Amino acid sequence: MFNRKKAGMMGVIGLSAAIITGVAVSAYAETKSPQSDVVKGQATQEAPINAVPSHEQLASRMAQQLGLDEKTQSKVSDLFEKDGKAIRKIQEQLQTTQMELSSLSPSSKDYMDKVDDLAEKSGELTEDLTIAYAKNRAGLYALLTPQQIKKLETPAQPQS
């Protein structure tokens, strides 16, 4: 069963993952599509609101935001592609574990043992996910100059 130390660790790990995700999303979501290039009467094609940007799109946005050269942009794109696959795999495993957990019935035999096993697995996957995000961020920072890192870490100002 869970003890307080384990429950506290899982909480910290989950919070860390949420913070890392928030930083990454805010960094990547800062660019807007240029509206001045649209000719009157010409339709524009935009990605659906919930579409996940590709590793090339993320690298391109970051290149625009931070002024990356083509070589660095390519390295960033490769990093996002490789790490993105690993992160998505862990996220899928975590989602499957959470679905298994929510599908359990308290009236079933060995309910608490199954919950304990799945909670343990969920905690391990959350830890793996947090580490994967941290490795990705460390890899990204290794490609950037100190000025680019400072620019990346500066919170985006609301546009008025």
Side-chain angles (χ1 to χ4, degrees):
M1 283 290 180
F2 268 15
N3 58 30
R4 289 181 188 198
K5 184 177 177 182
K6 255 189 197 177
M9 288 268 293
M10 283 188 60
V12 168
I13 290 169
L15 182 59
S16 298
I19 291 169
I20 291 168
T21 303
V23 169
V25 168
S26 67
Y28 300 138
E30 209 170 297
T31 61
K32 290 174 60 178
S33 61
Q35 298 297 323
S36 60
D37 295 342
V38 178
V39 177
K40 186 175 181 178
Q42 182 181 20
T44 60
Q45 183 177 359
E46 293 186 22
I49 292 173
N50 292 331
V52 177
S54 71
H55 60 288
E56 290 104 356
Q57 291 169 326
L58 292 174
S60 175
R61 288 180 192 169
M62 188 164 281
Q64 286 178 325
Q65 179 186 5
L66 303 177
L68 304 179
D69 59 28
E70 285 186 33
K71 184 178 177 184
T72 305
Q73 181 179 341
S74 177
K75 288 179 181 180
V76 168
S77 179
D78 292 344
L79 176 72
F80 288 166
E81 179 181 23
K82 180 186 66 129
D83 290 351
K85 287 178 183 177
I87 288 170
R88 278 190 297 282
K89 183 178 178 183
I90 297 168
Q91 287 173 328
E92 289 169 3
Q93 292 171 337
L94 186 58
Q95 182 180 14
T96 300
T97 302
Q98 293 297 322
M99 288 172 37
E100 286 179 49
L101 188 58
S102 65
S103 71
L104 294 176
S105 172
S107 62
S108 66
K109 185 179 179 191
D110 301 325
Y111 170 72
M112 289 307 297
D113 290 335
K114 292 176 185 176
V115 168
D116 187 45
D117 291 344
L118 290 170
E120 183 77 29
K121 183 178 178 182
S122 179
E124 291 168 2
L125 289 169
T126 302
E127 181 179 7
D128 292 346
L129 186 60
T130 303
I131 291 168
Y133 277 123
K135 284 181 180 178
N136 177 263
R137 191 167 188 208
L140 174 64
Y141 275 44
L143 298 172
L144 302 177
T145 65
Q147 295 83 9
Q148 291 167 332
I149 291 170
K150 184 176 180 183
K151 197 172 189 180
L152 180 65
E153 291 179 341
T154 303
Q157 299 299 316
Q159 297 177 354
S160 51

